[in-house]
């Protein structure tokens, strides 16, 4: 999310928002770079609410196969209604021109265990917290509403943000806030958190952080003081960066020659990992870059969905 925002950075990732009619970020650009082949096999590694997947499925047609993954079972249920039930209404002649849809409750990191070599025509990953998660106070992702300190994308995962905040030692807490939130005041914030334990809600944590890290200049006033710490906790709880690395490591073996890899990220930590992995893939002869610089949202999309301001798309083709 852009620096002017007041909520957790990284904005809407997969699926877009209910209030936005499920329009996902950089939809046209993602579809264009995927260059979808009718009858192909594609993975939407972050199916979310099904926004990107629906457009992929329309272009695949009945001979195709779309595999959608997501950590969040609530998102998968919405995607299932849209892709399986809604898609069946697309009819050409007397037959439904809709691909086979497989939706799986799992992290895209598990693609590293997929033994099918050169099996896919394209992989899309829209990395980020979805509006479904961000707008539900009970999920604990946002500091703008009172909710439990959860932050798990997969509600079945073991570790919550509350456990991290209340159980991790001060030095480790400061380090993860610095590493995953790029927060320069991490030590001060960690000290305040430890002294305020136990902490049970998002609002309580946000208040503690705001008191410990008051903005010192105009640039710091543009974002809420808790933004980077909430980002760090979410990334840590959900193993987001390690999962992204696992996906990027697996992609060259999964893609067919000519297959496309399209990744949309929402903050510098993710974008750096994607950029470095694609450049390394070029050196090893795996890829040809399709984007020398990241593709970003235009003014019209940013006006329609301010959370798209920080989105960066990078793409490559398997050699």
């Amino acid at each position: 999310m852009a620096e002017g925002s007041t909520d957790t950075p990284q904005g809407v990732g997969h699926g877009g928002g209910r209030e936005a009619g499920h329009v996902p970020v950089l939809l046209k650009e993602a579809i264009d770079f995927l260059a979808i082949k009718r009858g192909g096999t594609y993975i939407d590694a972050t199916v979310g609410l099904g926004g990107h997947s629906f457009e992929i499925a329309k272009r695949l047609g009945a001979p195709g196969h779309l595999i959608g993954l997501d950590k969040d079972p609530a998102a998968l249920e919405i995607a299932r209604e849209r892709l399986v039930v809604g898609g069946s209404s697309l009819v050409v002649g007397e037959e439904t021109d809709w691909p086979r849809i497989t939706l799986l409750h799992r992290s895209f990191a598990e693609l590293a265990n997929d033994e099918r070599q050169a099996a896919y025509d394209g992989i899309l990953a829209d990395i980020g917290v979805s509006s479904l998660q961000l707008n539900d106070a009970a999920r604990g992702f946002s500091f703008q509403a009172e909710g439990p300190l959860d932050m798990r994308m997969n509600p079945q995962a073991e570790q919550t943000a509350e456990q991290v905040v209340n159980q991790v030692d001060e030095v480790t807490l400061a380090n993860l806030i610095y590493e995953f939130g790029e927060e320069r005041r991490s030590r001060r914030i960690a000290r305040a958190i430890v002294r305020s334990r136990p902490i049970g809600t998002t609002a309580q944590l946000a208040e503690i952080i705001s008191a410990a890290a008051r903005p010192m200049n105009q640039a710091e006033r543009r974002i809420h003081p808790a933004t980077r710490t909430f980002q760090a906790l979410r990334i840590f709880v959900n193993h987001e960066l390690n999962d992204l690395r696992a996906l990027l490591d697996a992609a060259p073996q999964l893609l067919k020659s000519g297959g496309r890899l399209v990744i949309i990220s929402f903050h510098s930590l993710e974008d750096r990992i994607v950029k470095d992995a694609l450049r390394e893939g070029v050196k090893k002869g795996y890829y040809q870059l399709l984007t020398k610089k990241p593709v970003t949202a235009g003014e019209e999309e940013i006006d329609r969905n301010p959370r798209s301001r920080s989105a960066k798309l990078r793409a490559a083709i398997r050699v």
Side-chain angles (χ1 to χ4, degrees):
M1 183 171 281
E3 289 189 328
S5 63
T6 55
D7 211 331
T8 43
Q10 186 167 322
V12 167
H14 37 285
R18 289 176 183 270
E19 70 282 358
H22 300 300
V23 178
V25 169
L26 294 173
L27 176 60
K28 181 183 184 302
E29 293 84 350
I31 297 300
D32 286 348
F33 278 110
L34 279 173
I36 297 157
K37 300 175 183 177
R38 179 175 174 82
T41 301
Y42 288 78
I43 296 174
D44 185 344
T46 49
V47 69
L49 306 184
H52 286 112
S53 282
F54 191 85
E55 295 301 320
I56 294 170
K58 283 200 305 187
R59 290 159 175 79
L60 284 178
H65 186 196
L66 174 62
I67 301 161
L69 313 178
D70 207 285
K71 292 179 178 180
D72 191 339
L76 280 175
E77 283 306 307
I78 295 173
R80 190 179 308 279
E81 185 71 20
R82 188 173 194 197
L83 297 170
V84 178
V85 178
S88 63
S89 64
L90 190 63
V91 177
V92 176
E94 297 182 355
E95 296 185 2
T96 301
D97 190 33
W98 199 247
R100 180 158 62 102
I101 305 289
T102 302
L103 298 179
L104 302 172
H105 177 216
R106 63 184 59 169
S107 166
F108 52 67
E110 295 182 46
L111 288 171
N113 302 323
D114 192 328
E115 297 180 353
R116 286 166 287 189
Q117 301 290 307
Y120 304 104
D121 295 290
I123 299 172
L124 169 68
D126 179 2
I127 313 298
V129 60
S130 74
S131 61
L132 178 71
Q133 297 159 342
L134 192 62
N135 295 338
D136 183 355
R139 301 295 296 273
F141 287 96
S142 173
F143 47 72
Q144 291 195 326
E146 180 85 18
L149 271 172
D150 193 319
M151 298 196 194
R152 291 173 298 176
M153 292 180 179
N154 179 4
Q156 298 170 13
E158 293 183 4
Q159 190 175 50
T160 66
E162 182 177 7
Q163 291 171 318
V164 176
V165 164
N166 288 299
Q167 297 174 12
V168 170
D169 67 82
E170 184 178 323
V171 172
T172 303
L173 187 60
N175 288 342
L176 75 87
I177 292 171
Y178 181 79
E179 180 181 356
F180 300 130
E182 299 181 296
E183 173 59 78
R184 292 174 298 173
R185 299 164 295 183
S186 60
R187 291 177 182 170
R188 189 189 313 170
I189 291 169
R191 189 179 309 119
I193 289 172
V194 170
R195 289 177 177 175
S196 303
R197 289 171 172 169
I199 302 168
T201 70
T202 53
Q204 185 184 1
L205 178 60
E207 184 177 347
I208 291 164
I209 297 168
S210 296
R214 297 187 185 280
M216 302 298 291
N217 53 51
Q218 188 61 37
E220 289 184 355
R221 290 189 183 94
R222 296 206 317 245
I223 67 170
H224 191 287
T227 297
R228 300 185 191 282
T229 300
F230 268 64
Q231 172 186 302
L233 290 169
R234 193 201 70 240
I235 289 173
F236 181 79
V237 166
N238 294 289
H239 313 288
E240 292 179 39
L241 301 187
N242 285 339
D243 283 4
L244 177 57
R245 292 186 185 99
L247 169 64
L248 292 166
D249 287 346
Q253 284 70 49
L254 297 173
L255 288 168
K256 298 177 182 177
S257 177
R260 304 289 186 99
L261 176 64
V262 178
I263 309 286
I264 302 171
S265 63
F266 288 83
H267 59 73
S268 59
L269 291 173
E270 292 171 341
D271 183 57
R272 199 176 304 134
I273 291 170
V274 176
K275 178 179 68 175
D276 291 346
L278 294 186
R279 285 182 176 176
E280 186 65 23
V282 170
K283 290 180 182 177
K284 291 181 177 179
Y286 296 152
Y287 295 128
Q288 176 184 339
L289 291 182
L290 297 173
T291 52
K292 292 183 178 179
K293 294 183 178 180
V295 175
T296 57
E299 290 184 12
E300 183 179 337
E301 180 171 4
I302 292 171
D303 288 343
R304 188 174 68 249
N305 178 12
R307 290 167 173 166
S308 69
R309 184 181 290 112
S310 57
K312 292 182 179 181
L313 181 153
R314 294 184 186 270
I317 184 169
R318 184 68 166 93
V319 177

